[in-house]
Amino acid sequence: MVRETAGRVTHRRAYTHGMIGSPSLPVPTVFEFDRPVSRPPAGDAPSLWTVDAVGQRAGAERLAPAVLDAGELARAGSFHRDEDRRCYVAAHVALRVLLGDHLGVAAARVPLVREPCPNCGGPHGRPAVDGNGVHFSLSHAADLALLAVAGTAVGVDVERIAAPRTVAEVSASLHPTEIAELDALPESERPAAFTRAWARKESYLKGIGTGLSRSLALDYVGTGPLPAPGPGGWIITDVAVPEGYAAAVAVPGPRR
C-alpha cells in the first residue's frame, strides 16, 4: 500500500478488456488521486494507466513538492508552456505513486536511476528502479499520459494524431515498407496510419532501451489497423486511448 495519506490511485484492473497481443485492445485503468488503492496483479504482464493532466492537475500539484525529487522539480519548472509542465507533473507524480505502491514504499522514496545507454554505455539510458525487478515506461502527449508497470521490460508511447504536414516531413524516416503503405493510402487516412506506426515503433524502441537513437527505418511495425509481428520476438499491441490519440505497448515475447 501507499505509505502516504495522499496521492492514491483508483485501480480496477490492469485492463477492463483485451490483453497484450490479442486483437481486442487493452483499455488502461484511469488514474485518479485521492482514491483507495489496491496492488496491481502479480506477474510479468504490464499494467496500464492513463492520466488526464487537466482533470488531475490539482492533486498532482498538491503532491508534487513532497513527491518529486529535485531534478524532476527543476525539469517541471523549465517548461515554457503550461500545458507541457502540467502533463509532466501529473505523469511523474502518478508514476511515483504507482511505483511506491508496487514496492511498498513512499512515493518520494522510489529510487529512480538511469540505465547505461545500450549504444554507448553512457549514464543516459532509460529510467529504471534502482536494484529492483520492477520495470516501467511513461509517455505523454498534450494532456494525456500513459504509464506501464511490469515485471519485465516494457515500453509505451502515446501520440496526438499527427498533422498532415508532419506526416509529409517525417514519414520518409520510417521503414521502407511503412513508407509504401502510407503512400498507398488516401491523404486523409495518412495521419492516423502514420501516428499508429510511430506509437508502435517508439514503444518498441523504449522497450529495448534505445529510444529514438535507433534508426526508425530498421524495424517494421506496420501502419495498418493491427501491428505487424514485433521485431526481435517482441509483442506490440495498440492501446485504447481517447479519440485524437494513438498509443501502443511493447513487451518481450515468450522465451523459447
Side-chain angles (χ1 to χ4, degrees):
M1 299 294 290
V2 175
R3 300 299 175 86
E4 297 133 349
T5 58
R8 300 188 175 184
V9 54
T10 299
H11 183 85
R12 297 186 295 275
R13 288 192 58 187
Y15 319 111
T16 53
H17 69 266
M19 294 300 291
I20 301 300
S22 77
S24 181
L25 298 187
V27 180
T29 298
V30 175
F31 184 103
E32 296 178 356
F33 293 102
D34 301 321
R35 294 291 182 87
V37 63
S38 62
R39 198 171 297 280
D44 287 343
S47 297
L48 301 174
W49 289 266
T50 54
V51 184
D52 175 357
V54 174
Q56 299 304 311
R57 179 173 190 169
E61 293 188 347
R62 172 170 49 81
L63 291 170
V67 169
L68 300 183
D69 66 21
E72 291 165 329
L73 291 171
R75 173 66 172 156
S78 71
F79 288 106
H80 296 293
R81 297 198 311 162
D82 179 67
E83 175 185 288
D84 295 333
R85 188 188 70 83
R86 177 176 65 218
C87 199
Y88 177 91
V89 170
H92 285 77
V93 172
L95 176 66
R96 281 188 168 273
V97 169
L98 289 169
L99 291 173
D101 178 61
H102 193 92
L103 298 170
V105 302
R109 294 183 176 274
V110 174
L112 297 179
V113 296
R114 285 279 182 177
E115 293 181 343
C117 171
N119 293 325
C120 69
H124 49 262
R126 63 184 168 192
V129 178
D130 190 21
N132 193 281
V134 177
H135 298 259
F136 68 88
S137 185
L138 179 156
S139 178
H140 48 83
D143 287 318
L144 183 69
L146 177 64
L147 294 80
V149 178
T152 187
V154 61
V156 295
D157 190 55
V158 61
E159 301 286 341
R160 288 290 300 268
I161 299 299
R165 178 177 177 179
T166 300
V167 177
E169 293 176 349
V170 181
S171 60
S173 64
L174 299 180
H175 189 279
T177 304
E178 294 163 350
I179 296 172
E181 291 172 356
L182 291 172
D183 288 343
L185 291 174
E187 286 191 16
S188 62
E189 297 180 18
R190 291 176 189 171
F194 168 85
T195 310
R196 285 195 297 265
W198 187 278
R200 293 165 184 170
K201 197 174 296 276
E202 191 162 354
S203 70
Y204 167 68
L205 296 178
K206 286 182 177 181
I208 64 174
T210 64
L212 295 176
S213 66
R214 179 177 171 87
S215 171
L216 298 172
L218 292 177
D219 306 297
Y220 175 69
V221 297
T223 66
L226 294 175
W234 279 64
I235 298 171
I236 302 173
T237 306
D238 293 339
V239 175
V241 285
E243 185 176 357
Y245 293 87
V249 57
V251 294
R255 295 180 180 178
R256 297 181 179 179

